[in-house]
């Protein structure tokens, strides 16, 4: 299920830090009125081994804006659209009910008016799709060096490790939720990814390298639908890996 929230600055403009994903992350969790469900999702989630998956993702903000490099802010002065996608019916229901009942919400320390809410089923009917990222995809591996420190390596979409790690992430997420491994492979291929699509951002002071752009996904419609709902790559619940389907092949 996919939820689209359209908002408008209450005081004509909203000024956000360039790295604003954590504000959307906070807005989402603060919108959950069932605090036991919110606590489960935030603290526990769905587990596969030592890994935890929240099984939702969200987009960047879309709307008329301008960027100020100093002091590193982004200014929205008209309608703003925000997309949230999940495989969890409870999450869609609670978010939908919350935004329907609110005239305005806080985005950071600023107020925005709720203009409209749209909920739609997200389903893929083809075994091959072309997609465009609505929030950048990040793919990485964390390892321990000989001196015991943790290092994280981020991978470019054209790196040979990229498709392997995207598939592994999908398999782990799917098993964490359904309890069974997927029965078909997942293939991903970058179609249009350039240096301009590289995004280096932070989430709570942690640097993340991610990529916008267009890709081709191939698997069964069931699995592609799952990815449409939960996102591809890592850190989906922090605002990474959400995409829209450009066309089904």
């Amino acid at each position: 299920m996919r939820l689209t929230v359209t908002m408008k600055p209450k005081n004509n403009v909203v000024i956000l830090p360039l790295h604003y994903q954590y504000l959307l992350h906070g807005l989402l969790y603060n919108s959950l009125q069932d605090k036991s469900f919110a606590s489960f999702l935030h603290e526990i989630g769905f587990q596969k081994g030592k890994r935890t998956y929240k099984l939702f993702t969200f987009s960047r903000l879309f709307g008329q804006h301008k960027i100020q490099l100093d002091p590193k802010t982004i200014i929205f002065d008209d309608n703003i659209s925000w997309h949230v996608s999940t495989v969890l019916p409870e999450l869609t229901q609670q978010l939908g009910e919350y935004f329907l009942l609110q005239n305005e919400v806080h985005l950071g320390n600023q107020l925005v008016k709720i203009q409209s809410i749209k909920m739609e089923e997200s389903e893929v009917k083809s075994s091959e799709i072309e997609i465009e990222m609505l929030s950048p995809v990040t793919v990485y591996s964390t390892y321990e060096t000989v001196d015991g420190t943790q290092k994280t390596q981020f991978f470019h979409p054209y790196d040979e490790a990229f498709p392997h790690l995207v598939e592994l992430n999908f398999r782990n997420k799917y098993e964490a939720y359904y309890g069974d491994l997927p029965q078909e492979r997942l293939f991903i291929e970058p179609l249009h990814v350039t240096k301009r699509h590289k995004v280096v951002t932070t989430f709570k002071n942690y640097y993340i390298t991610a990529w916008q752009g267009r890709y081709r996904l191939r698997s069964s419609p069931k699995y592609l639908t799952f990815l449409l709902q939960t996102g591809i790559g890592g850190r989906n619940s922090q605002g990474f890996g959400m995409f829209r389907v450009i066309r089904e092949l």
Side-chain angles (χ1 to χ4, degrees):
M1 185 70 76
R2 183 159 294 200
L3 180 76
T4 299
V5 184
T6 302
M7 303 169 278
K8 192 179 182 97
K10 184 175 182 180
N11 296 318
N12 298 320
V13 298
V14 167
I15 304 174
L16 303 175
L18 278 180
H19 310 301
Y20 58 74
Q21 291 100 317
Y22 74 97
L23 295 177
L24 298 175
H25 183 264
L27 173 60
L28 189 149
Y29 275 105
N30 289 334
S31 301
L32 302 179
Q33 300 306 291
D34 183 338
K35 297 309 176 185
S36 62
F37 175 69
S39 178
F40 163 78
L41 201 58
H42 188 266
E43 305 296 335
I44 302 174
F46 298 85
Q47 299 180 340
K48 166 70 189 300
K50 295 181 180 181
R51 300 181 184 275
T52 298
Y53 302 96
K54 308 304 174 64
L55 301 177
F56 69 84
T57 187
F58 56 85
S59 73
R60 294 192 149 199
L61 296 175
F62 294 93
Q64 183 173 293
H65 66 274
K66 60 182 177 180
I67 292 175
Q68 293 182 318
L69 294 179
D70 186 13
K72 295 184 179 180
T73 57
I74 182 169
I75 302 173
F76 292 92
D77 57 9
D78 204 346
N79 283 352
I80 309 167
S81 293
W82 182 43
H83 309 284
V84 181
S85 186
T86 183
V87 73
L88 307 174
E90 311 98 303
L91 181 56
T92 305
Q93 179 182 350
Q94 289 195 40
L95 289 177
E97 289 178 353
Y98 178 81
F99 286 113
L100 280 171
L101 294 173
Q102 304 302 311
N103 292 321
E104 55 192 33
V105 297
H106 278 92
L107 190 53
N109 60 0
Q110 298 166 85
L111 282 172
V112 292
K113 299 178 182 178
I114 302 299
Q115 299 291 97
S116 66
I117 305 293
K118 180 182 178 182
M119 295 173 59
E120 56 186 336
E121 293 287 345
S122 47
E123 182 180 3
V124 176
K125 298 180 180 179
S126 172
S127 60
E128 189 170 347
I129 56 176
E130 291 184 5
I131 67 170
E132 181 177 44
M133 303 312 302
L134 296 178
S135 55
V137 54
T138 183
V139 174
Y140 58 91
S141 178
T142 302
Y143 59 93
E144 188 174 291
T145 63
V146 291
D147 62 359
T149 59
Q150 294 285 322
K151 294 287 186 180
T152 300
Q153 180 179 356
F154 293 93
F155 294 95
H156 188 285
Y158 289 101
D159 191 295
E160 62 181 11
F162 186 89
H164 167 72
L165 292 174
V166 168
E167 181 181 27
L168 180 62
N169 173 273
F170 154 64
R171 294 176 68 83
N172 286 339
K173 279 190 296 206
Y174 189 90
E175 185 178 7
Y177 186 57
Y178 288 107
D180 295 312
L181 282 169
Q183 299 302 305
E184 293 187 30
R185 297 281 311 274
L186 169 71
F187 299 92
I188 182 170
E189 173 190 358
L191 296 177
H192 180 58
V193 183
T194 69
K195 291 181 180 179
R196 294 179 61 187
H197 291 110
K198 183 178 181 180
V199 177
V200 179
T201 186
T202 61
F203 187 90
K204 296 183 178 179
N205 298 318
Y206 183 83
Y207 280 90
I208 299 167
T209 300
W211 298 85
Q212 299 279 28
R214 296 189 176 193
Y215 304 79
R216 180 181 291 118
L217 294 178
R218 180 159 54 89
S219 190
S220 76
K222 175 182 177 180
Y223 300 146
L224 295 180
T225 295
F226 178 79
L227 288 171
L228 181 62
Q229 294 169 335
T230 60
I232 60 172
R235 298 183 174 271
N236 302 136
S237 64
Q238 296 176 3
F240 294 88
M242 186 177 190
F243 63 86
R244 71 179 183 92
V245 177
I246 299 173
R247 62 172 179 155
E248 300 192 21
L249 304 172

